[in-house]
């Protein structure tokens, strides 16, 4: 009879141990999934932060371009109104034209980076529509 009890006890413990191993494997799998989700969220957070920085750079560059264009218009007006030598003003005008061209190129580059991000983000289910409202034309 004692052998039968030990046999049943052995079978019950083996069954309990196999269930325990299965539960631990299940828990480990769930923790791995959770870890993967945290990694994905961290990546998404970095992407959003980069997008916001790029968006701010677009706004700053747009404001700089607008300022340069205003300065250019003022120099042109001053050249028209000045009688006599305008060599210094012509140099200033040329310098502003170069700055406007460089800033325009930089602005287009930044806008293309922001647009590329918008293409990447829909897959991650983040809505950037409200973020894009602040971009200059």
């Amino acid at each position: 009879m004692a052998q039968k009890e030990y046999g049943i006890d052995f079978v019950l413990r083996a069954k309990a141990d196999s269930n325990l191993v299965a539960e631990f494997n299940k828990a480990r799998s769930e923790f791995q999934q959770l870890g993967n989700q945290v990694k994905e969220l961290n990546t998404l957070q970095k992407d959003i932060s980069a997008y916001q920085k790029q968006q701010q750079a677009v706004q700053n560059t747009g404001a700089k371009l607008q300022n340069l264009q205003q300065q250019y218009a003022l120099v042109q007006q001053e050249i028209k109104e000045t009688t006599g030598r305008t060599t210094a003003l012509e140099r200033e005008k040329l310098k502003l034209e170069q700055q406007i061209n460089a800033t325009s190129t930089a602005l287009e580059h930044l806008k293309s980076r922001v647009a590329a991000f918008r293409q990447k983000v829909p897959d991650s289910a983040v809505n950037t529509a409200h973020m894009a409202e602040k971009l200059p034309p």
Side-chain angles (χ1 to χ4, degrees):
M1 179 89 171
Q3 281 186 337
K4 193 172 187 181
E5 283 181 31
Y6 287 122
I8 292 174
D9 188 43
F10 178 77
V11 169
L12 289 175
R13 286 181 190 224
K15 180 73 172 161
D17 287 346
S18 68
N19 287 341
L20 188 61
V21 168
E23 287 300 316
F24 275 118
N25 286 338
K26 181 180 174 186
R28 182 178 47 201
S29 173
E30 289 176 6
F31 275 117
Q32 287 174 341
Q33 288 175 351
L34 184 60
N36 290 339
Q37 289 174 346
V38 168
K39 285 179 187 177
E40 289 173 11
L41 287 174
N42 285 336
T43 301
L44 183 59
Q45 184 178 9
K46 287 178 186 177
D47 287 346
I48 290 171
S49 177
Y51 177 80
Q52 290 171 335
K53 287 178 184 177
Q54 290 174 3
Q55 186 180 26
Q56 185 63 46
V58 167
Q59 291 173 348
N60 293 343
T61 305
K64 180 181 177 181
L65 179 61
Q66 191 174 25
N67 185 19
L68 288 170
Q69 289 170 336
Q70 288 173 348
Q71 289 178 17
Y72 183 80
L74 290 173
V75 168
Q76 276 188 314
Q77 184 67 29
E78 194 172 342
I79 289 171
K80 287 179 186 178
E81 294 174 357
T82 302
T83 55
R85 299 185 112 196
T86 59
T87 309
L89 290 173
E90 291 292 337
R91 277 196 304 263
E92 183 67 22
K93 179 182 170 185
L94 181 61
K95 180 180 155 188
L96 286 169
E97 285 175 354
Q98 291 170 344
Q99 288 178 328
I100 287 171
N101 289 337
T103 305
S104 294
T105 301
L107 182 59
E108 290 306 314
H109 176 71
L110 288 169
K111 284 182 178 181
S112 69
R113 288 175 58 186
V114 168
F117 179 79
R118 274 195 225 127
Q119 294 295 323
K120 179 181 177 183
V121 172
D123 294 336
S124 62
V126 174
N127 184 1
T128 59
H130 70 285
M131 293 180 192
E133 292 172 358
K134 296 181 180 179
L135 289 178

